[in-house]
Amino acid sequence: MLPKIRRMAAFRMTLSRRPILAFPALAAFPAAAQTWPAKPVHIVVPFAPGGSGDITARLVGKYLEDKTGQPFVVDNKPGANGIVGVLAAKAAAPDGYTLMIATTSTNAANLHMYKNPGYDPERDFAMVGIIGQSGAFLVVPADSKFRSLADLLAFAKAHPGKLNYGYFNASSQVPAAVLAERAGVEWQGVAYKAIGNAWSDLYAGAIQFMFVDLTAGRGQVVSGKARPLGITLAERSKIYPDVPVLAETFTGFVSTGMLAIAVPKAVPLDIQRRINALVIEAVFAPEVNKRLVEEFSLTPLAYDLAQCAEQDRAERAKWAEYVKIARIEPQ
């Protein structure tokens, strides 16, 4: 079960504005680090297939596989808002051969939404690369009678508690609770272990809407199966210019999340640096960057290890405040 969220008084998440740095040179690493990887690498995705972590892990992993000549195997380990996968990555040997997709949920929200998640992101992991930051769609089925955010809110006000929304991580759970508070409406949340189940229930009518990040939601939106009523970015997306941002209706309503790669903290620093350099190379390789930016609306960041750690801490600080405002009851 994901934590129950009460209504929130205010909410705002913003993208980092720090400049992108030059790429580090791989030749600068010690010989031992340059030999990494010498065998298959596993990428633990703490969520089910079809989500943004899964999609980007496979995209970046394929580049790294082609670059290094070693397999990069994606291991989906969903459950408990990502905790199952995180604990599996934590237990792995700290040799650089187990990577983990770190998300807003796993590295920022869970620490404040659970009394004892079984790990501490800063103590147990080192962030070694940021794939990107982005926002989320508010979506309904294409055949929904709700053609706009105004339609959805008008129905919710006229029928308190009659609408259901789905959520499968913190980034899909929190914005729905915030919107209810800002709009002065009531609706019910339904928790899902996997995004695929949420999509199925959305189209079957068991839930009427949900928030889903731009990466995971793109396929459903572009295919015409889902209709976006809004986006949680600060300004309209160049990819979806006709979709209004929620901030146009509710000032300051901006919600963004992060996708990154982390390793167990005890992985040797030289190997961490090597992975960092390769991840930066991957997310800025033209064929990968084009998809991240133009398809998935992600903003890759060329951050070194120190900057990754700082960004990781900043995300947790923001979520600590959001959870306090939200009055989330830790489980």
Side-chain angles (χ1 to χ4, degrees), residues 45 47-52 54-55 58 76-78 194-196:
V45 177
F47 296 96
S52 58
D54 178 71
I55 292 169
R58 295 179 190 279
N76 295 94
K77 297 183 181 297
I195 186 174

Side-chain angles (χ1 to χ4, degrees), residues 22-133:
F23 303 167
L26 294 180
F29 295 104
Q34 288 187 46
T35 62
W36 183 95
K39 62 181 182 179
V41 178
H42 288 259
I43 306 176
V44 174
V45 177
F47 296 96
S52 58
D54 178 71
I55 292 169
T56 53
R58 295 179 190 279
L59 177 61
V60 173
K62 179 62 169 60
Y63 179 90
L64 296 176
E65 186 171 292
D66 292 343
K67 174 72 178 182
T68 65
Q70 291 290 344
F72 278 70
V73 182
V74 173
D75 293 334
N76 295 94
K77 297 183 181 297
N81 208 28
I83 291 176
V84 171
V86 174
L87 293 180
K90 176 185 173 182
D95 55 9
Y97 288 93
T98 298
L99 313 181
M100 182 187 78
I101 294 295
T103 71
T104 297
S105 294
T106 63
N107 276 50
N110 285 352
L111 196 62
H112 309 295
M113 296 172 71
Y114 292 86
K115 294 177 182 177
N116 182 21
Y119 70 96
D120 181 284
E122 187 163 6
R123 181 193 65 216
D124 297 326
F125 292 94
M127 189 172 288
V128 292
I130 297 179
I131 298 172
Q133 294 181 303

Side-chain angles (χ1 to χ4, degrees), residues 58-60 62-67 278 280-296 300:
R58 295 179 190 279
L59 177 61
V60 173
K62 179 62 169 60
Y63 179 90
L64 296 176
E65 186 171 292
D66 292 343
K67 174 72 178 182
L278 285 169
I280 291 173
E281 179 182 324
V283 299
F284 284 95
E287 65 274 27
V288 176
N289 189 262
K290 182 180 177 66
R291 295 198 65 193
L292 292 175
V293 175
E294 297 183 10
E295 287 188 36
F296 303 137

Side-chain angles (χ1 to χ4, degrees), residues 138-142 144-156 163 179 187 208-209 227-230 242-244 246 249:
L138 165 57
V139 296
V140 297
S144 171
K145 63 184 176 182
F146 305 126
R147 310 293 299 183
S148 67
L149 176 62
D151 289 345
L152 181 73
L153 296 180
F155 182 92
L163 290 180
L179 182 57
W187 40 49
Q208 287 71 54
F209 72 96
R227 178 188 306 126
L229 303 184
D242 296 330
V243 182
L246 296 181
T249 302

